[in-house]
Amino acid sequence: MRKIAILGSTGSIGRQTLDECARHPERFRVTALTAHRSRDLLFEQVRRFRPSLACLTGAPVGEIPEDLRFCTFYAPDRLADLAADCDADDLMVAVVGIAGLRATLAGRKAGKRILLANKETLVAGGALVMRECAVDGPAPTLLPVDSEHSAIWQCLQAAGPNRLKTILLTASGGPFRSWDKAAIAQATSAQALRHPTWSMGSKITVDSASMFNKALEIIEAKWLFGVTPQQIQVLVHPQSVVHSMIVFQDGAVLAQLGVPDMRVPILYAMTYPERVESGVPAPDFPSLASLTFEAPDPDRFPALGLAYQALEAGGAACAVLNGANEVAAQAFLQDRIRMGDVYRTVAGTLERVGSLPADTLDQVLEADRLARATAEELLHRRTT
Ligand code: NAD
Ligand code: MG
């Protein structure tokens, strides 16, 4: 029986994690849950899974219903304390945004194994996180949940002692894959939220449309697998069946395949190294008409280039890219800007903020704060 705490339990990843806990009650006991604003759903989850600790991070929780008094509710600003204090073997980090960074570090320092869905944590604070965690070895302390990174991690397990030469990071291409540049620039949030293959939270769905999701994932892969940026190539694969691949010196390629359903990588992190029933079938190959691959178009999707640029710049550049993108994605979701402004805001922020150090948590959080203020200022100019 493993004890699991879930940060962001009311979101897309959080709810699917709880589904898998419910599927295997003999394996998992839920000991802590958090949500940002979905108070009623959090209460419902506490009622059903009976954790001893919970936290509503985005607002005061107010009156706790009589029948939930067995659970201690932490104050909104105590997400990282909860990550450290909870009685858990595993910490599923499924909050969205940089809010995951401090909690991940606190949870790891308190001895929890980290199941990491939250990519912004690695993008902003990769060096800090990898100082505390190991992805390889007999007892990894950081297990990737993002589907592409789970795929690469699974391929590496099959690689034995052989080192990879390159990573082929697949991307669906999102809803604007075949749109021309002018149409993408004018696209709205309603159009971006129609993702062709994955059903996810709103921020990552917008990131998938702008391709900033793949930009974040390039940076995530660099930290998780200790490769150079040049070893990571993005490959557009609209069917989202090949979740990523690794290439060896001899030209052989290993891929991990599956239907696009996050329950598989979520559950694999939860049961690693075992594989158990997830509720997801294997792909029905005869019914897959074709699996296709194409190179990404840097002109229509310039976000990818920014990821390489930020990695090259080093220091806090990736934290700045992430902070500016969080602000721009939010403004886009609120229909304050169009799709083309997202890239302009992030690129403009990177240019203006310049180089900053990222050796300590305070420095990373300061770079994030500066990036957000700069991005807001650029957006304000654009929209007034
Ligand atoms: P979501 O928006 O559906 O859920 C986010 C969760 O975090 C909710 O429980 C919400 O209450 C909580 N939350 C929101 N803002 C918060 C804040 N400031 N502080 C603390 N908690 C906060 O998001 P999601 O789609 O489940 O994605 C979660 C993370 O996993 C993201 O980093 C995303 O990039 C990553 N991810 C998601 C998917 C997917 O299929 N949804 C796939 C790969 C990676
Ligand atoms: Mg992904």
Side-chain angles (χ1 to χ4, degrees), residues 199-216:
S199 158
M200 313 176 283
S202 57
K203 194 254 176 185
I204 183 174
T205 306
V206 166
D207 285 348
S208 299
S210 66
M211 283 284 235
F212 267 106
N213 182 50
K214 214 48 60 179
L216 302 180

Side-chain angles (χ1 to χ4, degrees), residues 8 10-13 36 57 94-95 99 117-120 146 200-201 262:
T10 55
S12 165
I13 295 288
H36 202 52
T57 49
V95 299
N118 174 287
K119 63 193 79 188
E120 295 89 348
D146 205 349
M200 313 176 283
M262 286 305 295

